[in-house]
Amino acid sequence: MAKYDISNLTIAITGSTGGLGSALAKTLHAKGAKLALLDLDGAAAQQQAASLGGPSRAQGWAVNVRSMESLEQAINDAAAHFGGLDMVIANAGITEMEALVNGSEAAFTRVIDINLNGVWRTFKAAIPHVRQRRGYLLAISSMAAFIHSPLQSSYAASKAGVWAMCDSIRLELRHMGVGVGSVHPTFFPTPMMDGVFADEAGNRIWDGNKGGIWKMVTLESVVAAIVEGIEQRSDMIVVPKRIGLIARAPGVFRKAVEVLGFRDSEIEQAVTAAGRR
């Protein structure tokens, strides 16, 4: 398959001013992409855009991924500004270190609404534009999708849900020529991880991720893997590659099931029928 030429792409990124979002934006900008930078802090997104060349190359919008209206408005404005949209990266996410016995429903619900529902809303808002260019939807999941740690039930559930959702949506969009991928990195340094280590419970569980099987990888290695995955329109991006077997084991037979059990023509008809309800 020919590489997806990033220099020709217009890409929207949610959570654009965070650790991963900011690093991705800089790298994709350096490769020539035009960027719609979407962040809860609209002023910060606009400043970020100005640092990346201004309106012809990057523009910032305030977005709350907990609001469908907010996402639709920003993504529609971005598509109008750049003349279309090739790709969206659903990157916005949070975590909480809470146990079931003393955790709060509000905290659990907030993580699920941002990390899982927020990805669905982002894809939903973007698909009218992305399908016009037979583009690509990419969600930032985690190693937590397939390795489930204590005190992070909301985070693990949300990231496993993102993985499953991407697999499901990929089948729905396959006949449209739209690709869907999910990213599964292990631990890497971000402000979110700084918060985990600053939390007594988080630091006790992970001990700063200084060694062993939970040792951190670099932010640069995660960004490089994501960029390579974008160029290949990958279904699944795992960082580092050494955890690939663990990540892919649950899906060993998934591809065969998808080919044998779900025909594109039947899916297209089912999507149409669902829309008539």
Side-chain angles (χ1 to χ4, degrees):
M1 178 187 294
K3 279 191 175 183
Y4 207 24
D5 185 357
I6 290 174
S7 67
N8 289 331
L9 302 182
T10 298
I11 303 173
I13 307 173
T14 65
S16 68
T17 69
L20 179 57
S22 180
L24 271 174
K26 289 178 182 177
T27 301
L28 294 170
H29 172 267
K31 286 183 168 288
K34 297 176 182 177
L35 301 175
L37 303 169
L38 313 178
D39 199 271
L40 189 60
D41 188 338
Q46 290 165 9
Q47 292 174 0
Q48 181 185 28
S51 73
L52 294 174
S56 65
R57 290 291 309 281
Q59 185 66 287
W61 284 270
V63 161
N64 182 354
V65 299
R66 302 185 76 177
S67 164
M68 193 72 230
E69 181 181 3
S70 172
L71 276 162
E72 287 178 335
Q73 183 67 58
I75 287 177
N76 289 345
D77 288 350
H81 177 81
F82 289 111
L85 187 63
D86 297 283
M87 178 182 172
V88 65
I89 302 175
N91 168 67
I94 62 169
T95 191
E96 289 281 357
M97 294 297 301
E98 288 197 330
L100 176 65
V101 294
N102 51 25
S104 72
E105 180 187 5
F108 185 93
T109 300
R110 180 169 177 260
V111 173
I112 296 295
D113 199 36
I114 291 172
N115 292 8
L116 178 57
N117 301 343
V119 172
W120 186 91
R121 294 186 190 106
T122 302
F123 284 2
K124 177 69 172 177
I127 192 58
H129 305 288
V130 172
R131 69 181 294 185
Q132 291 180 24
R133 297 189 174 185
R134 299 173 69 85
Y136 184 47
L137 307 176
L138 185 66
I140 305 302
S141 180
S142 170
M143 175 187 70
F146 42 85
I147 298 177
H148 309 137
S149 58
L151 280 78
Q152 284 193 296
S153 59
S154 58
Y155 188 78
S158 69
K159 294 304 185 178
V162 166
W163 183 20
M165 184 171 65
C166 286
D167 286 345
S168 180
I169 293 173
R170 185 182 307 114
L171 294 174
E172 297 174 22
L173 302 182
R174 188 171 60 188
H175 68 278
M176 301 178 188
V178 175
V180 182
S182 56
V183 181
H184 303 268
T186 187
F187 298 96
F188 61 99
T190 62
M192 185 172 76
M193 285 307 304
D194 291 342
V196 170
F197 297 146
D199 182 276
E200 181 183 357
N203 202 44
R204 185 171 293 275
I205 290 291
W206 301 117
D207 192 27
N209 296 108
K210 296 185 288 286
I213 61 175
W214 309 129
K215 185 178 180 179
M216 279 197 177
V217 297
T218 65
L219 174 61
E220 292 76 14
S221 68
V222 174
V223 171
I226 293 173
V227 170
E228 181 182 359
I230 291 171
E231 290 175 335
Q232 302 297 332
R233 290 169 60 106
S234 298
D235 292 354
M236 187 178 187
I237 302 165
V238 180
V239 191
K241 291 182 178 178
R242 67 174 181 268
I243 65 172
L245 180 60
I246 298 172
R248 288 178 171 83
V252 168
F253 299 106
R254 178 174 55 80
K255 281 293 184 183
V257 170
E258 289 177 358
V259 171
L260 296 174
F262 303 105
R263 297 178 181 175
D264 285 353
S265 60
E266 293 172 347
I267 294 172
E268 185 174 5
Q269 292 169 13
V271 170
T272 301
R276 288 196 292 264
R277 279 192 247 152

